[in-house]
Amino acid sequence: MRIKKDKNKLLVPDEITIPYIEGDGAGVEITPVTRRIVDKSVAKAYGGKRSIEWIEALAGEKAFKCTGNYLPDETIDIFREYYIGIKGPLTTPVGEGIRSLNVALRQILDLYVCLRPVRWFKGVASPLREPQKVNMVIFRENTEDIYAGIEWQQGTPEAEKFLQFLSSEMGVSKIRFPETSSFGGKPVSREGSERLVASAIEYALANRLPSLTLVHKGNIMKFTEGSFKRWGYALAEREFGDRTFTMLQYEKIRKEKGDGEASRALSEARSEGKLIIKDVIADAFLQNTLLTPENYSVIATLNLNGDYISDQLAAMVGGIGIAPGANINYSSGHAIFEATHGTAPDIAGKNIANPSSLLLSSVMMLEYIGWNEAANLITSAMEQAFVRGEATGDLARFMPDGKSLGTVQFGDTIMNLIDVM
């Protein structure tokens, strides 16, 4: 049976069909293991009353071999029809076709939020002294900024035409080496910024989280990233004013009534459970996450910043191998949950790939449809395994007395732990 949409709510039946893309390289190994674990957790959590029917959608190398197309129209239609799905890592065609299959899926389905939760699991080695303080959710804008793909290669007629426009029409004279420069564009819209920030605010409020931070480089890019900050604050005060307190409000009170009144207003907002909305320059934020990660909970940022931020935070809690991700349109309800790492062709077929990223993305998927009991079984089993030092080799080698397991064996361990819960 299919998920349906009623106004702003997904209607999820007890028996649902979920499309999946197996993926390339290591995806061939981690996707079957992930599906087995999800099926086990659903059966255990609901005693057979709920279940998932998996339907394969083709993309990447497998799709090209079968259809001559890396991203068939039928695959897009399947994800549109069934609302949610999950995918393994995909190879981007080299020298031909789509710039990025992942980006294409996000843009075609307008999956404007890249959602990346980051938390530490007990037992996983971390470069931090106190990794338990890292618990953040990143809302990364997924359709604008560098993902618009606006670039012109140096030496092409297009680059020359753009250079002429900049110099003759726009009066730009500060390009240091104009004749050998490539060029790129960075669109940032009010609509795109507002829908991302609104989704982040709603998530923070729904999960009773203390703060939302707008991360930007508005001190340099004043009309793109600076506007993202301004639009974000304006939206918060306009649409969520009774449930939020912004640092712009704090600064206004401070200037009018002094530091004491501003501090009292902030303290009162916190005691009332209001969401505190603040902002920080991107480079300062990267430093702060290492020094005081406990000061941040939900992050809203543009595409390129979000790319750097999410990977740094993943490294702080053990690496990209245990970093989940999702691409979501909160308006339409469409969502694709995915492994955040690449295809890892060097280890593909060796039964050593870590399925944790895709597995934790499946946890996000279960939470998205409201099957939290099944999701909790998976995360509990994973943490138990990590505490015992049982993991794939990429994690086990850093654990005291770590026991290196193959991809399939790690999956079996997780399922056995779910069985006895």
Side-chain angles (χ1 to χ4, degrees), residues 298-358:
V298 180
I299 312 303
T301 192
L302 290 168
N303 186 272
L304 184 58
N305 294 332
D307 200 4
Y308 301 147
I309 289 166
S310 53
D311 280 10
Q312 176 185 293
L313 292 176
M316 289 162 58
V317 296
I320 198 80
I322 55 170
N327 304 285
I328 302 172
N329 184 318
Y330 283 98
S331 300
S332 70
H334 289 93
I336 297 178
F337 301 83
E338 65 180 358
T340 58
H341 54 73
T343 58
D346 56 322
I347 63 171
K350 298 180 180 179
N351 190 38
I352 59 176
N354 185 354
S356 295
S357 175
L358 189 62

Coordinates of all heavy atoms in Angstrom, one line a residue, residues 298-358:
V298 N 20.1 23.1 16.6 CA 19.6 23.0 15.2 C 20.4 24.1 14.4 O 20.5 25.2 14.9 CB 18.1 23.2 15.1 CG1 17.7 23.2 13.6 CG2 17.4 22.1 15.9
I299 N 20.9 23.7 13.2 CA 21.6 24.6 12.4 C 20.9 24.8 11.1 O 20.4 23.8 10.5 CB 23.0 24.1 12.1 CG1 23.7 23.6 13.4 CG2 23.9 25.1 11.3 CD1 23.9 24.6 14.4
A300 N 20.7 26.0 10.6 CA 20.2 26.3 9.3 C 21.2 27.1 8.5 O 21.7 28.1 9.0 CB 18.9 27.1 9.4
T301 N 21.6 26.6 7.3 CA 22.7 27.2 6.5 C 22.5 26.9 5.1 O 21.7 26.1 4.6 CB 24.0 26.7 7.0 OG1 25.1 27.5 6.5 CG2 24.2 25.2 6.7
L302 N 23.3 27.7 4.3 CA 23.2 27.5 2.8 C 24.0 26.3 2.4 O 24.6 25.6 3.2 CB 23.8 28.8 2.2 CG 22.9 30.0 2.3 CD1 23.6 31.3 1.9 CD2 21.6 29.8 1.5
N303 N 24.0 26.0 1.1 CA 24.5 24.7 0.6 C 26.0 24.5 0.9 O 26.4 23.4 1.4 CB 24.2 24.6 -0.9 CG 24.5 23.3 -1.5 OD1 25.7 23.0 -1.9 ND2 23.6 22.4 -1.4
L304 N 26.8 25.4 0.4 CA 28.3 25.1 0.6 C 28.7 25.1 2.0 O 29.5 24.2 2.4 CB 29.1 26.2 -0.2 CG 30.6 26.0 -0.3 CD1 30.9 24.7 -0.9 CD2 31.2 27.1 -1.0
N305 N 28.2 26.0 2.8 CA 28.5 26.0 4.3 C 28.1 24.6 4.9 O 28.8 24.0 5.7 CB 27.8 27.1 5.0 CG 28.3 28.5 4.6 OD1 29.5 28.6 4.2 ND2 27.4 29.4 4.7
G306 N 26.9 24.2 4.5 CA 26.4 23.0 5.0 C 27.2 21.7 4.7 O 27.3 20.8 5.5
D307 N 27.8 21.8 3.5 CA 28.7 20.7 3.1 C 29.9 20.6 4.0 O 30.2 19.5 4.5 CB 29.1 20.9 1.6 CG 29.6 19.7 1.0 OD1 29.5 18.6 1.5 OD2 30.1 19.8 -0.2
Y308 N 30.5 21.7 4.3 CA 31.7 21.7 5.2 C 31.3 21.3 6.6 O 31.9 20.5 7.3 CB 32.3 23.0 5.2 CG 32.8 23.6 3.9 CD1 32.8 24.9 3.6 CD2 33.3 22.7 2.9 CE1 33.3 25.4 2.4 CE2 33.8 23.2 1.7 CZ 33.8 24.6 1.4 OH 34.2 25.1 0.2
I309 N 30.2 21.9 7.1 CA 29.8 21.8 8.5 C 29.4 20.3 8.8 O 29.9 19.7 9.8 CB 28.6 22.7 8.8 CG1 29.1 24.1 8.8 CG2 27.9 22.3 10.1 CD1 28.0 25.2 8.8
S310 N 28.6 19.7 7.9 CA 28.1 18.4 8.2 C 29.2 17.3 8.2 O 29.3 16.4 9.0 CB 27.0 18.0 7.2 OG 27.4 18.1 5.9
D311 N 30.2 17.5 7.3 CA 31.4 16.6 7.3 C 32.3 16.8 8.5 O 32.8 15.8 9.0 CB 32.1 16.7 6.0 CG 31.4 16.0 4.8 OD1 30.3 15.6 5.0 OD2 32.0 15.8 3.7
Q312 N 32.5 18.0 8.9 CA 33.3 18.2 10.1 C 32.7 17.6 11.3 O 33.3 16.9 12.1 CB 33.6 19.7 10.3 CG 34.4 19.9 11.6 CD 34.6 21.4 12.1 OE1 35.3 22.1 11.4 NE2 33.9 21.8 13.2
L313 N 31.4 17.9 11.5 CA 30.7 17.3 12.6 C 30.7 15.8 12.6 O 30.8 15.2 13.7 CB 29.3 17.9 12.7 CG 29.1 19.4 13.0 CD1 27.6 19.8 12.9 CD2 29.7 19.7 14.3
A314 N 30.6 15.2 11.4 CA 30.6 13.8 11.3 C 32.0 13.2 11.8 O 32.1 12.3 12.5 CB 30.3 13.3 9.9
A315 N 33.0 13.9 11.4 CA 34.4 13.5 11.8 C 34.5 13.6 13.3 O 35.2 12.8 13.9 CB 35.4 14.4 11.1
M316 N 33.9 14.6 13.9 CA 34.0 14.8 15.4 C 33.3 13.6 16.2 O 33.7 13.4 17.3 CB 33.3 16.1 15.8 CG 34.1 17.3 15.3 SD 33.1 18.8 15.3 CE 32.6 19.0 17.0
V317 N 32.4 12.9 15.6 CA 31.8 11.8 16.3 C 32.1 10.4 15.7 O 31.5 9.4 16.1 CB 30.2 12.0 16.3 CG1 29.8 13.2 17.1 CG2 29.6 12.0 14.9
G318 N 33.1 10.3 14.9 CA 33.5 9.0 14.4 C 33.7 8.9 12.9 O 34.3 7.9 12.5
G319 N 33.2 9.8 12.1 CA 33.5 9.8 10.7 C 32.2 9.7 9.8 O 31.1 9.4 10.3
I320 N 32.4 9.9 8.6 CA 31.3 9.9 7.6 C 30.6 8.5 7.5 O 29.5 8.4 7.1 CB 31.8 10.4 6.2 CG1 30.6 10.8 5.3 CG2 32.6 9.3 5.5 CD1 30.2 12.2 5.6
G321 N 31.3 7.5 7.9 CA 30.8 6.1 7.8 C 29.6 5.9 8.7 O 28.8 4.9 8.5
I322 N 29.4 6.8 9.8 CA 28.2 6.6 10.6 C 27.4 7.9 10.6 O 26.6 8.2 11.5 CB 28.6 6.3 12.1 CG1 29.6 7.3 12.7 CG2 29.1 4.9 12.2 CD1 29.8 7.2 14.1
A323 N 27.4 8.6 9.4 CA 26.7 9.9 9.3 C 25.5 9.7 8.4 O 25.7 9.4 7.2 CB 27.6 11.0 8.7
P324 N 24.3 9.8 8.9 CA 23.1 9.6 8.1 C 22.7 10.9 7.4 O 23.2 12.0 7.7 CB 22.0 9.2 9.1 CG 22.4 9.9 10.3 CD 23.9 10.0 10.3
G325 N 21.8 10.8 6.4 CA 21.3 12.0 5.8 C 20.0 11.8 5.1 O 19.6 10.6 4.7
A326 N 19.3 12.9 4.8 CA 18.0 12.8 4.1 C 17.8 14.1 3.3 O 18.4 15.1 3.6 CB 16.8 12.7 5.1
N327 N 17.1 13.9 2.2 CA 16.7 15.1 1.4 C 15.2 15.1 1.4 O 14.5 14.2 0.9 CB 17.2 14.9 0.0 CG 18.7 14.6 0.0 OD1 19.5 15.6 0.1 ND2 19.2 13.4 -0.2
I328 N 14.6 16.3 1.8 CA 13.2 16.3 2.2 C 12.6 17.6 1.6 O 13.2 18.7 1.6 CB 13.0 16.3 3.7 CG1 13.6 15.0 4.3 CG2 11.5 16.4 4.1 CD1 13.6 15.0 5.8
N329 N 11.4 17.5 1.1 CA 10.5 18.6 0.8 C 9.4 18.5 1.8 O 8.4 17.7 1.7 CB 9.9 18.5 -0.6 CG 9.1 19.7 -1.0 OD1 8.3 20.2 -0.2 ND2 9.3 20.2 -2.2
Y330 N 9.4 19.4 2.9 CA 8.4 19.3 3.9 C 7.1 19.8 3.5 O 6.1 19.5 4.1 CB 8.9 20.1 5.1 CG 9.9 19.4 6.0 CD1 11.3 19.7 5.8 CD2 9.6 18.5 6.9 CE1 12.3 19.1 6.6 CE2 10.6 17.9 7.7 CZ 11.9 18.2 7.5 OH 12.9 17.5 8.2
S331 N 7.0 20.5 2.3 CA 5.7 20.9 1.8 C 5.0 19.8 1.1 O 3.8 19.6 1.3 CB 5.9 22.1 0.9 OG 6.5 23.2 1.6
S332 N 5.7 19.1 0.2 CA 5.0 18.0 -0.6 C 5.0 16.7 0.2 O 4.2 15.8 -0.1 CB 5.8 17.9 -1.9 OG 7.1 17.3 -1.7
G333 N 6.0 16.6 1.1 CA 6.1 15.3 1.8 C 7.1 14.4 1.3 O 7.5 13.3 1.9
H334 N 7.6 14.7 0.1 CA 8.6 13.8 -0.6 C 9.9 13.8 0.2 O 10.4 14.8 0.6 CB 8.8 14.2 -2.0 CG 7.7 13.9 -2.9 ND1 6.7 14.8 -3.2 CD2 7.3 12.8 -3.6 CE1 5.8 14.3 -3.9 NE2 6.1 13.0 -4.2
A335 N 10.6 12.6 0.3 CA 11.8 12.5 1.0 C 12.6 11.3 0.5 O 12.0 10.2 0.2 CB 11.6 12.4 2.5
I336 N 13.9 11.5 0.3 CA 14.8 10.4 0.0 C 15.9 10.3 1.0 O 16.6 11.3 1.3 CB 15.5 10.5 -1.4 CG1 14.4 10.5 -2.5 CG2 16.5 9.4 -1.7 CD1 14.9 10.7 -3.9
F337 N 16.1 9.2 1.7 CA 17.1 9.0 2.7 C 18.2 8.2 2.1 O 18.1 7.3 1.3 CB 16.4 8.2 3.9 CG 15.2 8.9 4.5 CD1 14.0 8.8 3.9 CD2 15.4 9.7 5.6 CE1 12.9 9.5 4.4 CE2 14.3 10.4 6.1 CZ 13.0 10.3 5.5
E338 N 19.5 8.6 2.5 CA 20.6 8.1 1.7 C 21.9 8.0 2.6 O 22.0 8.6 3.6 CB 20.9 9.1 0.6 CG 21.4 10.5 1.1 CD 21.7 11.4 -0.1 OE1 21.6 11.0 -1.3 OE2 22.0 12.6 0.2
A339 N 22.8 7.1 2.1 CA 24.1 7.1 2.6 C 24.8 8.3 2.3 O 24.7 8.8 1.1 CB 24.9 5.9 2.1
T340 N 25.6 8.9 3.2 CA 26.2 10.2 2.9 C 27.6 10.1 2.3 O 28.2 11.0 1.9 CB 26.3 11.1 4.2 OG1 27.0 10.3 5.2 CG2 24.9 11.4 4.7
H341 N 28.1 8.8 2.3 CA 29.5 8.6 1.8 C 29.4 8.2 0.3 O 28.3 8.1 -0.3 CB 30.2 7.5 2.6 CG 29.4 6.2 2.7 ND1 29.2 5.4 1.6 CD2 28.7 5.7 3.7 CE1 28.5 4.3 2.0 NE2 28.1 4.5 3.2
G342 N 30.6 8.0 -0.3 CA 30.6 7.6 -1.7 C 30.5 6.2 -1.9 O 30.2 5.4 -1.0
T343 N 30.8 5.7 -3.2 CA 30.6 4.3 -3.6 C 31.7 3.4 -3.1 O 31.6 2.2 -3.1 CB 30.5 4.2 -5.1 OG1 31.7 4.8 -5.7 CG2 29.3 5.0 -5.6
A344 N 32.9 4.0 -2.7 CA 34.0 3.3 -2.1 C 34.4 2.1 -3.0 O 34.4 0.9 -2.6 CB 33.7 2.8 -0.7
P345 N 34.7 2.3 -4.3 CA 35.0 1.2 -5.2 C 36.2 0.4 -4.8 O 36.3 -0.8 -5.2 CB 35.3 2.0 -6.6 CG 35.7 3.4 -6.2 CD 34.9 3.7 -5.0
D346 N 37.1 1.0 -4.0 CA 38.3 0.3 -3.6 C 38.0 -0.9 -2.6 O 38.8 -1.8 -2.5 CB 39.3 1.2 -2.9 CG 38.7 2.0 -1.8 OD1 37.6 2.4 -1.9 OD2 39.5 2.2 -0.8
I347 N 36.9 -0.8 -1.9 CA 36.5 -1.9 -1.0 C 35.3 -2.6 -1.4 O 34.9 -3.6 -0.7 CB 36.3 -1.3 0.5 CG1 35.2 -0.3 0.5 CG2 37.6 -0.7 1.0 CD1 34.8 0.1 1.9
A348 N 34.7 -2.2 -2.5 CA 33.4 -2.9 -3.0 C 33.7 -4.4 -3.2 O 34.7 -4.8 -3.8 CB 32.9 -2.2 -4.2
G349 N 32.7 -5.2 -2.8 CA 32.8 -6.6 -3.0 C 33.7 -7.4 -2.1 O 33.9 -8.6 -2.2
K350 N 34.2 -6.7 -1.1 CA 35.1 -7.4 -0.1 C 34.5 -7.7 1.2 O 35.1 -8.1 2.1 CB 36.4 -6.5 0.1 CG 37.2 -6.3 -1.2 CD 38.4 -5.4 -0.9 CE 39.2 -5.2 -2.2 NZ 40.4 -4.3 -1.9
N351 N 33.2 -7.4 1.4 CA 32.5 -7.6 2.6 C 33.1 -6.9 3.8 O 33.2 -7.4 4.9 CB 32.4 -9.1 2.9 CG 31.4 -9.4 4.1 OD1 30.4 -8.8 4.2 ND2 31.8 -10.4 4.9
I352 N 33.6 -5.7 3.6 CA 34.1 -4.9 4.7 C 33.5 -3.5 4.8 O 33.8 -2.7 5.7 CB 35.7 -4.7 4.5 CG1 36.0 -4.0 3.2 CG2 36.3 -6.1 4.7 CD1 37.5 -3.8 3.1
A353 N 32.6 -3.2 3.8 CA 31.9 -1.8 3.9 C 31.1 -1.7 5.1 O 30.4 -2.6 5.5 CB 31.1 -1.6 2.6
N354 N 31.0 -0.5 5.6 CA 30.3 -0.1 6.8 C 28.8 0.3 6.4 O 28.7 1.3 5.7 CB 30.9 1.0 7.6 CG 30.3 1.3 8.9 OD1 29.2 0.8 9.2 ND2 30.8 2.2 9.7
P355 N 27.8 -0.4 6.8 CA 26.4 0.0 6.4 C 25.8 1.0 7.3 O 24.6 1.4 7.2 CB 25.7 -1.4 6.5 CG 26.4 -2.1 7.6 CD 27.8 -1.7 7.5
S356 N 26.6 1.5 8.3 CA 26.0 2.3 9.4 C 25.3 3.6 8.9 O 24.3 4.1 9.4 CB 27.0 2.6 10.4 OG 27.4 1.5 11.1
S357 N 26.0 4.3 7.9 CA 25.4 5.5 7.4 C 24.0 5.3 6.8 O 23.0 5.9 7.1 CB 26.3 6.1 6.3 OG 25.7 7.3 5.7
L358 N 23.9 4.3 5.9 CA 22.6 3.9 5.3 C 21.6 3.4 6.3 O 20.4 3.7 6.3 CB 22.8 2.9 4.2 CG 21.6 2.6 3.3 CD1 21.1 3.9 2.6 CD2 21.8 1.5 2.3

